[in-house]
Amino acid sequence: MNWHRLFGLLLTDFFAGSPFVVELEKDLSIKKQLLDVVILRKHHGRFAGRLPDGFDNLAIHNLLTFKSYWEALDDWALKELTGHYVNYRKQVSPSLKSLLPEEEFRLYAVCSRYPHNLAGAVDLKTVQAGVYDCGRGTDLIRIVVAHELPRTDNNAILHLLSASPEQVRYGAEHYEQRSPDTSSLLSQLFEGYKREGLTMPYTMQDFRRDYVKEHLKDLTVEERLHGVPAEKIEKYLQRRKKPASAKKKNHKK
């Protein structure tokens, strides 16, 4: 017996001739819904290093929503996250009758600034500086406010997204990149702040200079000289190699 359909048909009869219309088995997949980020544990093992504050309780499936400085983390955003969770759990489970256990999922909301409007509508329980828990029925959403996190190396990645000049500077100086391609992402980040009117004391030029200083020792001679015109290299070497006679004259003087 398809009880859901029977229920809908009875309601169709009940509302017949009224201002209301009943729709059965409405397809909700017509409009694409995108979840910001999923952090998925692929195999056993420990994370090498220290996770950002608030992420100490990662599960197998970790669903994240992110709100930048210009976006509000409000009650609707948490409703969306919960809806994504329901859909995602259905998709990754063996079947609708055999859903994966709830303890295999965690919900996170990361935002650049403190969500004052949300705090006025729901109860936010402080876990530690910049980290809060928000109950939604039997679900728990971990809220991480980048702007409020302590300036420690493990939080550097989130400081980059805080939209606070000093925090962003700290993040750029202390974030340890895992891939050389990440420098292009940071370039996009700084350009994004610039376009949206946020003045950062730590510029992309500062980042490039610090990045080169930090990684120069790891490069070969060929890599260090890559892209430098041959005439500049020759002039530099000529300045470095003064004639012995010139050195002696300078010494006598």
Side-chain angles (χ1 to χ4, degrees):
M1 174 67 71
N2 188 335
W3 292 101
H4 301 95
R5 183 169 180 78
L6 178 61
F7 174 63
L9 291 173
L10 288 172
L11 289 178
T12 300
D13 176 72
F14 179 79
F15 283 103
S18 78
F20 298 95
V21 174
V22 177
E23 298 181 10
L24 276 65
E25 299 177 346
K26 187 173 180 62
D27 187 0
L28 300 179
S29 64
I30 297 176
K31 188 172 183 179
K32 183 184 291 186
Q33 299 291 317
L34 299 177
L35 174 62
D36 287 344
V37 178
V38 175
I39 301 176
L40 180 64
R41 175 180 282 278
K42 297 295 291 184
H43 53 76
H44 293 289
R46 299 186 63 182
F47 179 81
R50 184 182 169 194
L51 291 165
D53 290 354
F55 287 87
D56 53 295
N57 62 341
L58 288 177
I60 296 177
H61 302 270
N62 305 278
L63 283 60
L64 285 73
T65 185
F66 173 72
K67 298 300 179 184
S68 69
Y69 180 82
W70 298 269
E71 300 173 300
L73 178 66
D74 52 17
D75 188 60
W76 176 253
L78 297 191
K79 285 183 170 72
E80 279 192 319
L81 179 60
T82 304
H84 288 324
Y85 156 65
V86 172
N87 189 26
Y88 178 87
R89 188 182 176 198
K90 289 179 179 179
Q91 291 189 31
V92 299
S93 295
S95 70
L96 296 181
K97 293 184 178 180
S98 180
L99 296 174
L100 293 177
E102 287 195 36
E103 55 267 23
E104 293 188 5
F105 299 84
R106 294 280 189 281
L107 304 180
Y108 296 87
V110 180
C111 53
S112 296
R113 53 188 172 86
Y114 183 77
H116 290 283
N117 292 339
L118 178 64
V122 301
D123 181 35
L124 299 183
K125 179 183 177 183
T126 302
V127 178
Q128 61 189 93
V131 181
Y132 306 85
D133 280 342
C134 177
R136 310 284 290 187
T138 59
D139 298 322
L140 188 69
I141 299 177
R142 172 63 54 88
I143 297 175
V144 180
V145 183
H147 181 74
E148 295 184 349
L149 294 175
R151 294 185 188 179
T152 52
D153 288 355
N154 64 306
N155 291 326
I157 185 174
L158 296 181
H159 285 312
L160 289 169
L161 303 168
S162 67
S164 167
E166 293 305 319
Q167 299 277 62
V168 172
R169 181 186 183 93
Y170 180 91
E173 292 175 343
H174 291 82
Y175 178 62
E176 182 181 350
Q177 297 183 43
R178 272 69 170 178
S179 166
D181 297 332
T182 306
S183 58
S184 64
L185 295 178
L186 294 178
S187 177
Q188 294 177 41
L189 176 72
F190 288 118
E191 287 300 323
Y193 280 137
K194 183 178 179 180
R195 285 196 305 269
E196 297 188 4
L198 282 179
T199 302
M200 293 293 156
Y202 191 82
T203 64
M204 193 58 208
Q205 289 72 26
D206 296 329
F207 167 75
R208 290 194 182 105
R209 183 181 61 250
D210 292 345
Y211 182 83
V212 170
K213 286 181 180 179
E214 182 179 352
H215 295 86
L216 187 63
K217 63 182 183 300
D218 301 324
L219 301 178
T220 64
V221 175
E222 291 77 11
E223 289 173 331
R224 296 182 188 186
L225 297 178
H226 178 71
V228 181
E231 57 271 18
K232 286 190 176 182
I233 298 176
E234 185 176 351
K235 288 180 181 179
Y236 175 77
L237 293 176
Q238 288 176 353
R239 288 197 301 268
R240 296 282 294 179
K241 294 180 179 179
K242 287 185 178 181
S245 58
K247 290 183 179 180
K248 288 181 180 179
K249 288 180 181 180
N250 292 334
H251 180 69
K252 288 180 180 179
K253 291 179 181 179

